[in-house]
Amino acid sequence: MKAIIVLSGLGVLALLAELFRFRKILYPLVLIGLAGAAATAISYVWYDDASQWTALMKNMISFDPFAIMMSSVIIITALLWLLSAQGYFKDETTRTDHYALMLFALTGAVILTCYSNMVMLFLGVEMLSIPLYVMAGSRKDNLASNEAALKYFLMGAFATGFLLFGIALIYGATGTFDLGELATFVNSSKTGMGGIFHAGIVMLLVGLLFKISASPFHFWAPDVYQGAHTNVTAFMSTVVKTAAISGFARLFGSSILIKDYEFWAPLLACCAGLTIIVGNVMAVNQNNVKRLLAFSSISHAGFLLIAVVTGSLKGVMFYAAAYSLASLAAFVVLQIIQNHSGDDTIERFNGLGKRSPLLAFTLTLALLSLAGIPVTAGFFGKYYLFMQAFKTGHAWLAVIGIIGSLIGLYYYFRIIIAMYFREAPADAKSAPAANDLQQLLLFITALGIIVIGIMPDLLLNLQP
Amino acid sequence: MITALLIGLPLLAGILTLFVKGAGAKRIALGATVLEFLLSLVVFYMYRQNPDDSNLFMLTPWITAFGINFHLELNGIALLLVMLTTFLTPLIILSSFGREHKNPSLFYSLILFMQMALVGVFVAHDGFLFYIFWELALIPIWFICLMWGEGKDVGKITFKFFIYTLFGSLFMLAGLIYLYYHSPENSWAWENLVAGGQSLTVGQQSMVFWAMFLAFAIKMPIFPFHTWQPDTYVSAPTSGTMLLSGIMLKMGTFGLLFWLMPMTPKAVDKWGMVAMVLCVISIVYASCMAIVQKDFKRLIAYSSIAHVGLIAAGIFAFNVQGVEGAVMQMLSHGVNVVGLFLIVDIVSSRTGTRELASLGGIRNVNPQFAVLYLIVLLGAVALPLTNGFVGEFLLINGVYQYGAWMAAFAGLTIILGAVYMLRSYQAVMLGNTNSITNGFTALQAHEKTVLFVIAAAILILGVYPKPLLDVAEPAVLDLIGSIKAGI
Amino acid sequence: MIQYAWLIPLLPLIGFTIIGFGGKKLSKSLIGLLGSGSVLAAFVMSVLIFTNVHEGDKYIVKVFDWFSAGSLHLDFSFIIDPLTCLFLLIITGIGFLIHVYSTGYMHDDEGFHRFFAYLNLFIFFMLLLVMGSNYVLMFVGWEGVGLCSYLLIGFWFKNTAYNNAAKKAFIMNRIGDLGFLLGIILLFVTVDSLSFADGGVLDKVSAVGRSNHGTMELAALLLFIGACGKSAQIPLFTWLPDAMAGPTPVSALIHAATMVTAGIYMIARSQVVYTMAPMAMETVAIVGALTAIFAATIGLFQNDIKKVLAYSTVSQLGLMFLALGVGATTGAVFHVTTHAFFKALLFLGAGSVIHAMSGEQDIRRMGGLAKKIPITHATFLIGTLAISGIPVLSGFFSKDEILAHAYEHNPVYWIAGIIASVMTAFYMFRLYFLTFKGKFRGTHEQEHHLHESPKSMTIPLMVLAVLSVIGGFIGIPHLFAHDAHWLHHFLGFGDILTLSTDTEWALLVLTLFVVGVSIYAAYRAYVKEGRLPAEKEEQLNPVQRLIYNKYFVDEIYDTLIRKPLDWISEKFYQIVELQIIDGVVNGVGAGVKWVSSVGKYAQSGSVSFYVLAMVLGAIAIGLIKLW
Amino acid sequence: MSTQVIPIEWYITLSALLFSVGVLGVLFRRNAIVILMSVELMLNAVNLLLAAFSTYHNDPKAQVFVFFIMAVAAAEVAVGLAILIMIYRNIRTTDVDFLNKLKW
Amino acid sequence: MQHLTLTHVLFLILSAVALLSGLMVVLNANPIRNVLLLIVCFFAIAGHYVLLNAQFLAAVHIIVYAGAIMVLFLFVVMLLNLNKETEPTRPAWEKIVAVIAGGIFCITLVGALRAADTMPMPDAKGMDVNIGLVNRLGATLFDEFLVPFELSSALFLAAMVGAVLLGKKSSK
């Protein structure tokens, strides 16, 4: 809860900067603020005063272990993201607005990790989405950015309708918005849930699946990711994705609807499989690395869904953390290349291994992690999910995951091959280089990928 | 503890090498691998003294949530394969001394990482750890093949190699997870997985068997999962090819022997025949392929498939002779194939071609090379008193006990092996020199050293293989006992 | 003494090592000395051991544990018994003579040192073969001599034809070796031992063989396949004539006297197995008889002096197998011995002729050499007489014993033997007459160069000639002396002839008569009428052409085996390997790519479509889950 | 007026129909503004449903929820219209299918 | 089925108006008319709220939707000078596809809900007619829903900032 207060306060503070003219120091200020938020979020791991908030907040939010872990992951990811995103806040006149939007989105993201009432789910989704619509369109004169904003907004609003209809139907069937009461209602029902409730679940699922860009509701994602500013894309594919999946997992990964598991689990499982396959297959032929990463992020949403279906909140957390680290690193390198060459096609990565060995190495590491090669964090994440899938009798899902990973290898390795095997383009100027903050970020992510990969216990045993 | 040192030493040396520029890198790499070899000799000695020496054993919790331990243990078979790894790696490094590699520090550190992973695969006693090392071995070799490979399709070929082997190993992972969930304790320890596997029904075991078989069959490779291999061997740099064929391939056979057979004995009993037939087809088929190859390196690549098919057949025979023969042949094949690929490298780097048709008469200008080649060749065709014979004899013996017809077909390798090997020897060495070969220069010191060591190893192992077999025998008997008990 | 038996193979090995490593740095005389000396020393050792071995003795000299796996224990140890002793003497004795001969014959060859290294290595392996105290060690020698044979046939490695001949020899041998190996394994699987020591494989076979009748038949046949390869029997005989590509001393040593008789040694050693396997025995006899006749017919039409001898060797080996097949093990070994003498003599004599003729090997270009090279001529004549079975010479006794046994077993075999003998006498005398009688038919230059060979070559010829004359007395039959058959007692195979003396005499006379007629026919044709073999193939009638071309066996093998194998392999490579198996693998990848390249159009860029897809997705879910 | 006389199913059906009309609007039209309006229609269907359930469950929470929906809808409309205006400035149309450069 | 009361008739009339005007919004090609028709629809919905005893909600609905949101729409439509001529229309086949898809969706949704088990009528005695009154709502909103209430202010702030950010002309 404290994190929410800090973040929204920080958002207001950012707006005030315009008035009181401390725009210049806003960047360090937000960094520190985010660090503070991260610290408060993660401090619950050791100082458990989270439960008292729940009552105080009238059961609107609940900082259970999952919420603590996920919000920590999200805020830390955002903090890391900020290290790379100085370029996004370049424009003097709109800087404060962008900070505020980002921070409000982050607030929404944190709400999604800890909501325990449908109202909060709805508010969280909207608080996350509305600033994002704007962020996607932040390059106002750029048609691609416009298109991204339009598509994102229209489809997002449309999906919100489904989400709300679902919530309304569930309310109609159970008479409550509160997740705790909902759980009691579902678990105590003797005859099983009726059609209204199921219709609500389906509608709710449609809305949420859209948010995590699961197939067949994924179509917006590649276009939006491609059109948005690369920093924004990085934000969307890490922070937003993690938030969306935790919003999802709070409902479907926990025990709330477990009595009704037979109804929605097969559906989710199918969606997970479909998402993995679609995301990976579609990425195969992409030449635009940004778009490629977008499809890759779709496929990872599928993997995250496996974790949800198998009811493994820890799996969600671990996978999301691992994925965020790797994805962030990949996007940062992409952004550096893009800034350097003004283009984000795969050819721009040619010969990077020679021109900027460190960038290439980090990107390789990130891609290996995304591909799930030992001993990276991504591998253990996948491994975790496969374990869970086997445990809960979803072996076929694990097999699809395996096949998906293999297809995934193809495009991840295309980039690696381009970096190390292809000659640099003739018009390549100087070597692209990361600035200090980006270097710091890349170092942290690379370290994180390896350390978590080698010692997953560090994360897994972090029990609040 | 000392086993962990076997893993740690190459890792540290690899990291060190990464930061050394220029020629220093290869010297450090060579020094480290020689040191590693000496260390493995110490381990060998310790093991001979007392196989249960606690210094050879290591168990540290790693990922507690899943009962995964950093669990290293040596048995005779693993020890021999570790020895093979530590013996061959310095030779491989030394043999590359004549080559100017771009970015040598990366090259040699990758080789060292590779060694680390390979040793790890053989000493891991925890299923998960085994899998980790298994995959870890893949990355350095992939980079070696990619960055220092030759030909215009390197990217494509190495990628195929990578994805194909990973395809298999992911199914192995699936199989291992399945075993884990059916094992009595919450542990990935080998014994526990064996217990889990053996408690399964035939149907379940069959599923696990095929999933894991796929991984090993691809790695070795055996028919019909072999098509990645010739291309990869041909396009990889010689050191990479040596690593792949000399050591990495043994991961497959080792896995088959140690991680598959005891886990799924009933399935082995039920499906062993099918696997055996695949192995035998592999032998004959690959031999026939080798006969018609026009490219020297590709010929050797196919010969490797034929040999490994026989090894796998011996394993599936699961009797003492077959398995010990397989162990022996793993060692022999490792040594021989490294020698053969070095020969290919020597020839192709001096003449600029690997086309058999355009070579010939090298014996006229470099008789010493011819003799060394001949010795390696004899090892490869399993002439008695070379290392190849002991293994092959035991293997055919073992396969015979499984099925006489199998042995008859498997034994065709004796004939066909001679056909393609002699053909290559004749095409390269005999006859008159031509414009390409008449300027064939003398062997360089490092090449000579490596070939001498290999030739010596071929002869010594052929004349006196007893110590090695003695080391392997208890482990083999254990394994076979465990398999037979599980049926 | 016997405990030092390991010195016998070691000595040539040392010789090989020194010569091999010393290479060209050593002088030729030193090499000759070392090479011959080491074999001589081995010979001396063999003699010493021989004097200590009596019939029925069996000593095992263990050197070290070789390897073991499960119940399979193999020692690196040597067996010393009468059979081995006899072979030791033949190998080291004749080997020594041929080494000496080679110092002269190969003197001007640039590969002199190499030659001696190979020869010594060969002696080593050959000794290992006959001394190995278990089947596997025998197999070591067995393959080792094959290797040396390969190296020596292809000694002049610049010549592609020679290389091919060498390769062919090795591969055909390997076909046999596979059979041998499987036979060994079958024996092991059946009786769980491979050692020749007491209580080893042979004893066990005699104990359990009766109850494992079929297994023993199979084992015997498999072993026989090995023998066929090594000893050039139908169908694996074609490599031997080609093997004449090697230097002549090699032909004498390896392809006449020693290596090719390894098959006989092996079957003699495995006699116990064969006595359990009557069908296999019959097979051996039939194959032997067929080979004897078949090769002899080819010999009738050959014009190359060494080829004639080669086919003669095949034919004689066939005779030996016939002997083995009818149970005359002693006879076979006896013939091995005498054959070693006279065939080595003939080959060396041929070498001397070739030496004199400056490398010419075609007998149509020779003639009238008797006066030019008298020693060669005289010794060659002795050899020819011996092989034709003229009384008192060695070949007479051994051949007689075989024929008598054959008759005893089944007269048909006897007839086969007679036919072979008659033809042998004919083509050998044809060879002799054409070479040494009549007028010289070579070029003027060759005539000018004609000269007798140096002492190093003629002395071995003379020694061998003496042996060819007297060698038969070790096995002189009962007909001529009471209690005479020393070899029989010494070897102790117990294959006693039970024919009546009258029958034996009758057979003897009949044989002599037909052989005499045959020799006369040759004399008439090639001396009196002065006929010459046709210069061109076209002058022959179809039957002759068929035989002249060796029944086209090589071509048939080529068409039936090699070409189809190549063709199938090539097709498999092009179609199955590249198209199907790899095609499937690549096809999967390409399929994914294709799906991706088509599927991407679903991502049409139009929001309307996306919304539609979303609604359709919702409909689908609704229909599946709610209806 | 007494509410209980109208069965709740009627309201559910009405909401479903209204929602479907909204969906149809989104599918049918190309004008972004009208699409946005259709979305509003969908949201109103939800509001109606919630209000009906509120009465049915005798629970004011659902009505409060409706307030939130209204508020958020307003915010969404504000942002959406801003986006539309921004785009209109660039491409002079509100046709949603005009911008389809990002694809494949 | 009960006897049709006035309430039922009112319900049906309001429903018909809402659905028809909604459909017209979708089908009519003139944006301005669309806006006006949507307002009609909203009024019909407000009528439903009144029928449901949610008077305050009805009032707020009118004020927010008809008064604010739709005016905003109207404003934008005017600002951009949209009319029937500028209205982009779909090709016929796309329209057919849209109608079919929408129809199927409608059938699926309605069918799913109709097929669902009929919900029992709540106990009439327990009915509290006052829940729609402002004091009850206020008590709920500012007590139980205080947190979302506060957060929605942040949401508004974000939306406002965003709208301004995008809506104003770029400074360049």
Side-chain angles (χ1 to χ4, degrees), chain B residues 44 47-48 76 79-80 324-325 327-328 331-332 385-387 389-391 394 457-474 476, chain C residues 62-77:
Chain B
F44 187 76
Y47 186 84
R48 289 303 303 259
L79 176 63
L80 290 180
E324 277 194 49
V327 173
M328 189 64 208
L331 307 181
S332 309
L385 294 193
T386 64
N387 56 2
F389 171 71
V390 182
L394 289 174
I458 287 173
L459 295 175
I460 292 169
L461 289 186
V463 174
Y464 198 54
K466 190 172 166 53
L468 303 186
L469 286 170
D470 283 353
V471 166
E473 179 142 330
V476 170
Chain C
K62 183 171 166 181
V63 185
F64 58 89
D65 274 349
W66 189 20
F67 64 92
S68 63
S71 57
L72 176 70
H73 295 286
L74 294 173
D75 289 339
F76 206 99
S77 58

Side-chain angles (χ1 to χ4, degrees), chain E residues 8-24:
Chain E
H8 288 105
V9 176
L10 269 177
F11 174 87
L12 289 176
I13 292 170
L14 286 172
S15 301
V17 171
L19 283 172
L20 277 177
S21 56
L23 262 177
M24 291 299 282

Side-chain angles (χ1 to χ4, degrees), chain C residues 244-558:
Chain C
M244 296 303 127
T248 308
V250 171
S251 311
L253 179 62
I254 301 184
H255 304 123
T258 53
M259 183 186 91
V260 288
T261 60
I264 289 97
Y265 168 78
M266 186 256 277
I267 290 182
R269 179 61 78 199
S270 319
Q271 196 214 20
V272 180
V273 181
Y274 281 86
T275 51
M276 305 286 166
M279 265 171 60
M281 286 280 266
E282 215 62 42
T283 314
V284 173
I286 292 168
V287 169
L290 282 178
T291 310
I293 296 171
F294 193 75
T297 56
I298 300 175
L300 293 173
F301 288 87
Q302 293 303 311
N303 296 326
D304 181 315
I305 184 168
K306 286 177 75 179
K307 284 273 165 74
V308 176
L309 292 176
Y311 281 104
S312 149
T313 306
V314 177
S315 173
Q316 295 297 313
L317 290 168
L319 216 52
M320 296 175 210
F321 277 98
L322 174 59
L324 291 170
V326 299
T329 313
T330 316
V333 175
F334 187 19
H335 199 57
V336 165
T337 317
T338 58
H339 178 256
F341 296 150
F342 59 67
K343 191 49 72 59
L345 171 61
L346 287 168
F347 264 115
L348 293 185
S352 181
V353 169
I354 295 163
H355 196 70
M357 291 289 295
S358 317
E360 179 63 62
Q361 298 192 6
D362 192 334
I363 50 175
R364 287 172 297 193
R365 305 279 166 272
M366 297 174 182
L369 297 180
K371 294 187 190 76
K372 308 281 174 132
I373 42 174
I375 301 174
T376 309
H377 166 240
T379 52
F380 199 91
L381 178 59
I382 292 171
T384 311
L385 290 170
I387 196 175
S388 305
I390 302 303
V392 193
L393 275 71
S394 58
F396 166 72
F397 294 112
S398 55
K399 202 178 269 187
D400 172 58
E401 183 166 350
I402 292 174
L403 290 175
H405 273 280
Y407 183 83
E408 187 191 16
H409 190 78
N410 187 339
V412 176
Y413 292 134
W414 180 78
I415 293 168
I418 288 294
I419 293 170
S421 299
V422 167
M423 284 194 287
T424 304
F426 183 82
Y427 64 70
M428 281 313 296
F429 272 94
R430 167 177 174 270
L431 177 66
Y432 168 74
F433 290 138
L434 284 173
T435 308
F436 293 100
K437 300 294 173 188
K439 285 207 189 87
F440 187 71
R441 295 181 294 275
T443 62
H444 198 69
E445 211 175 323
Q446 286 171 329
E447 186 166 19
H448 185 71
H449 275 112
L450 280 177
H451 59 282
E452 183 56 280
S453 300
K455 285 252 158 42
S456 58
M457 289 166 70
T458 49
I459 290 173
L461 285 179
M462 292 187 273
V463 175
L464 283 171
V466 171
L467 286 172
S468 299
V469 174
I470 62 165
F473 289 101
I474 57 169
I476 195 162
H478 305 277
L479 291 182
F480 301 102
H482 190 62
D483 196 20
H485 206 313
W486 170 82
L487 189 62
H488 194 131
H489 299 296
F490 182 61
L491 294 176
F493 284 118
D495 46 349
I496 298 161
L497 198 59
T498 50
L499 285 179
S500 69
T501 321
D502 293 347
T503 324
E504 226 176 310
W505 273 113
L507 294 175
L508 194 71
V509 170
L510 196 56
T511 313
L512 276 177
F513 175 71
V514 290
V515 166
V517 169
S518 169
I519 294 171
Y520 178 72
Y523 174 74
R524 220 185 125 119
Y526 296 105
V527 179
K528 264 190 155 174
E529 296 177 9
R531 262 198 257 168
L532 287 174
E535 281 296 323
K536 292 210 181 83
E537 203 185 322
E538 288 74 30
Q539 295 163 339
L540 301 172
N541 66 39
V543 177
Q544 287 171 327
R545 274 173 81 168
L546 177 67
I547 301 173
Y548 178 79
N549 284 309
K550 306 146 202 165
Y551 298 98
F552 297 100
V553 174
D554 277 325
E555 287 76 5
I556 291 169
Y557 284 178
D558 226 34

Side-chain angles (χ1 to χ4, degrees), chain C residues 94-133:
Chain C
I94 294 179
F96 168 64
L97 291 174
I98 290 173
H99 272 74
V100 172
Y101 178 90
S102 303
T103 57
Y105 189 84
M106 298 298 290
H107 195 266
D108 298 328
D109 197 284
E110 57 172 347
F112 188 79
H113 64 283
R114 205 154 47 84
F115 185 76
F116 273 88
Y118 291 164
L119 274 191
N120 269 349
L121 185 65
F122 169 76
I123 297 284
F124 165 71
F125 275 123
M126 194 65 210
L127 291 172
L128 216 54
L129 196 163
V130 297
M131 290 175 77
S133 79

Side-chain angles (χ1 to χ4, degrees), chain A residues 314 354 364 368 371-375 379-380 383-384 386-388 390-391 398-399 401-403 405-407 409-411 413-414 416-417 420-423 453-457 460-461, chain B residues 61-66 68 102 106 128 131-132 135-136 139 142-143 146-147 149 151-156 158-159 162-164 166-168 170-171 173-175 177-178 180-181 188:
Chain A
K314 225 176 211 181
K354 260 181 243 142
T364 305
L368 290 179
I373 305 291
V375 281
F379 162 72
F380 196 80
Y383 163 78
Y384 197 144
F386 293 162
M387 288 286 286
Q388 293 298 331
F390 268 99
K391 196 177 181 179
V399 171
I402 287 172
I403 292 168
S405 307
L406 287 168
I407 301 172
L409 278 177
Y410 178 79
Y411 54 86
F413 277 56
R414 257 181 83 199
I416 300 180
I417 289 173
Y420 287 104
F421 181 61
R422 310 238 180 269
E423 289 303 316
I454 293 178
M455 290 179 286
D457 259 10
L460 291 174
N461 287 359
Chain B
W62 179 24
I63 304 172
T64 48
F66 290 99
I68 296 167
K102 46 182 185 186
L106 184 58
F128 186 79
Y131 178 77
I132 291 282
E135 294 295 24
L136 267 189
I139 311 219
W142 182 70
F143 270 104
L146 177 67
M147 294 173 71
K152 62 177 169 37
D153 283 340
V154 172
K156 222 176 180 175
T158 51
F159 177 70
F162 191 94
I163 198 160
Y164 209 158
L166 198 70
F167 170 74
L170 282 176
F171 280 96
L173 178 63
I177 294 175
Y178 191 86
Y180 170 77
Y181 274 119
W188 282 85

Side-chain angles (χ1 to χ4, degrees), chain B residues 71-93:
Chain B
H71 186 171
L72 309 178
E73 209 173 308
L74 274 174
N75 63 25
I77 302 168
L79 176 63
L80 290 180
L81 289 168
V82 169
M83 298 283 294
L84 177 75
T85 312
T86 58
F87 172 70
L88 287 180
T89 318
L91 293 181
I92 291 169
I93 289 178

